[in-house]
Amino acid sequence: MTFLVNVWDVLLELSPWLLLGAAVSGALHYLVPSGFIKSQLSGGWGVAKAVVLGVPLPLCSCGVIPAGIGLKRNGASDGASVGFLVATPQTGVDSVLVSAGMLGWPFALWKVGAALVTGLVAGWTTDAITPRGVSKIEADDAHEHVHTLSDALHHAIDVIREVWGWLAFGVLFSAALTTALPVDAFAGLTGGATALAFGAVLGISLPLYVCATASVPIAAALVAAGMPTGAALVFLMAGPATNVATLGTVYRTFGRNVLGVYLATILAGSIGFGLLYEQVFGSLTATVAAAHAHTTWWSIASAVVLLGLLARFAYDDAMLWFANRTAVSDDERALTIEVQGMTCEGCANKVQRALLATDGVQSAVINLDANTAVISGNAALSRLQQSITDAGFHISRSE
């Protein structure tokens, strides 16, 4: 029973800020023209622009990799691309607002500043050790697309959809920590023990996929149990910006030297900003994290809305899984379509949902590695193409 109460408490604290962050993300999607970011990442200010424009974007490791690599392929300098890869996954409007709600505004703003500084350092250092030639962006790649309010709403929902599993895990794990750990479990972690806490958190967060937003409840639970707030900052800086997949992608795309810059900047930056935060703010965040005055009508309403969204996303993913399991692979009517623009599992799921919602489609199986969709049914190719286009992707060829 205590565990369920703690789950509800986490939802009350997390939900209003998460929904507000998703709404802001949708507004940015509506207001910022397509191609604007790419068109600005050239010249001496390219790194600064990439970092500043990347900080509010709600992209975790899964989404930031293709976005950062896409910038490079479309003409951005290596420094701008690396600065974007370092800064973007640490923040995002949703992560900042959730951090402010659960750990306090000083912590949230400090995290934003740390992301800006580490992104700039990584980007400028990368440009200093690599050739400065920057290819121009083709005009076709910088075209503007006018987004509608419907696009903005769907984008806001997709921000939560793409990380719903990690959100659910973060809420449950945070509640489990709060239930299992005494309030002063880490109260002795001061002085030399603080360094041990930093090292332990860093060792855990570096190889794993950690979503900046979904991990905030875990960090808040640790802080409430006495973990140094600086260690929580290390966790929320290093975790989202590093994992095996991200490091491997940086190595393959930019080379060993840039990978060294990338990793060293995150390691030194997270530890340095964590230690400095401890010196400046001390136990301020622990006091904020321990406070639990969230039972307002809007927090309850937000928690109910978020639970409804999570339930819907779980149902949709279960239906996608069932569709994949029951798809008839040897159907003579099966059509194989090559879909361009898919860069992660979230993209693949979005294409699959769009196809399954199309009249005449019986099953749709997405192969992300081959960028293909195998579709069974009697839907016309033009209708399939329209569904894929409406989802934000396009067909290159069909068989």
Side-chain angles (χ1 to χ4, degrees):
M1 187 64 181
T2 302
F3 171 72
L4 294 179
V5 171
N6 288 332
V7 169
W8 182 243
D9 282 344
V10 174
L11 284 171
L12 289 175
E13 195 161 17
L14 169 72
S15 301
W17 299 102
L18 179 65
L19 295 179
L20 178 60
V24 173
S25 176
L28 288 173
H29 182 74
Y30 175 71
L31 295 172
V32 178
S34 298
F36 174 79
I37 294 178
K38 293 179 183 178
S39 69
Q40 297 298 311
L41 303 187
S42 59
W45 288 95
V47 172
K49 291 177 181 179
V51 171
V52 170
L53 291 172
V55 162
L57 298 181
L59 294 176
C60 286
S61 296
C62 176
V64 76
I65 294 174
I69 303 308
L71 293 179
K72 173 179 169 60
R73 291 177 178 173
N74 283 281
S77 67
D78 283 0
S81 301
V82 170
F84 182 89
L85 285 169
V86 169
T88 305
Q90 297 182 49
T91 52
V93 289
D94 51 344
S95 174
V96 173
L97 290 172
V98 171
S99 297
M102 302 192 77
L103 292 164
W105 276 107
F107 184 93
L109 295 177
W110 190 274
K111 188 159 75 86
V112 171
L116 286 168
V117 172
T118 52
L120 290 171
V121 170
W124 286 333
T125 305
T126 296
D127 272 349
I129 66 172
T130 55
R132 293 184 176 275
V134 178
S135 59
K136 296 297 182 182
I137 301 173
E138 297 294 334
D140 290 342
D141 292 330
H143 71 283
E144 292 191 4
H145 171 71
V146 178
H147 297 295
T148 65
L149 289 175
S150 177
D151 292 333
L153 177 61
H154 283 92
H155 180 82
I157 294 174
D158 283 342
V159 166
I160 303 175
R161 183 192 294 273
E162 300 306 331
V163 298
W164 79 264
W166 287 102
L167 280 171
F169 172 79
V171 169
L172 294 175
F173 191 63
S174 173
L177 285 175
T178 303
T179 303
L181 295 176
V183 175
D184 58 350
F186 300 106
L189 291 178
T190 56
T194 299
L196 294 177
F198 278 33
V201 167
L202 201 57
I204 294 171
S205 61
L206 279 178
L208 299 179
Y209 174 84
V210 178
C211 175
T213 304
S215 301
V216 174
I218 301 174
L222 292 172
V223 170
M227 177 73 76
T229 55
L233 184 68
V234 172
F235 179 67
L236 294 175
M237 285 182 64
T242 63
N243 58 56
V244 174
T246 303
L247 297 179
T249 300
V250 172
Y251 174 76
R252 290 192 301 271
T253 306
F254 300 98
R256 182 180 303 172
N257 291 338
V258 173
L259 174 62
V261 170
Y262 182 93
L263 194 54
T265 303
I266 294 170
L267 287 172
S270 61
I271 293 175
F273 276 98
L275 291 172
L276 191 57
Y277 184 89
E278 283 291 302
Q279 294 296 319
V280 174
F281 291 103
S283 61
L284 174 61
T285 304
T287 302
V288 175
H292 290 284
H294 338 288
T295 52
T296 58
W297 69 266
W298 61 82
S299 63
I300 295 174
S302 298
V304 171
V305 170
L306 181 59
L307 280 174
L309 289 174
L310 294 179
R312 175 56 188 268
F313 299 153
Y315 172 81
D316 288 346
D317 281 5
M319 291 299 99
L320 291 181
W321 177 86
F322 182 76
N324 285 332
R325 295 280 294 181
T326 59
V328 181
S329 59
D330 58 351
D331 190 336
E332 293 181 357
R333 296 174 298 170
L335 175 67
T336 300
I337 294 177
E338 186 172 315
V339 182
Q340 295 298 315
M342 296 189 300
T343 56
C344 65
E345 288 295 335
C347 297
N349 289 340
K350 188 173 184 179
V351 171
Q352 189 175 29
R353 287 193 299 271
L355 289 172
L356 291 175
T358 304
D359 291 338
V361 173
Q362 295 178 354
S363 67
V365 179
I366 310 299
N367 186 328
L368 183 59
D369 293 332
N371 288 323
T372 59
V374 180
I375 304 164
S376 296
N378 56 10
L381 178 60
S382 58
R383 181 174 294 178
L384 298 174
Q385 184 171 4
Q386 185 61 49
S387 296
I388 292 174
T389 300
D390 290 344
F393 306 89
H394 63 275
I395 297 175
S396 58
R397 65 186 182 89
S398 61
E399 299 177 359

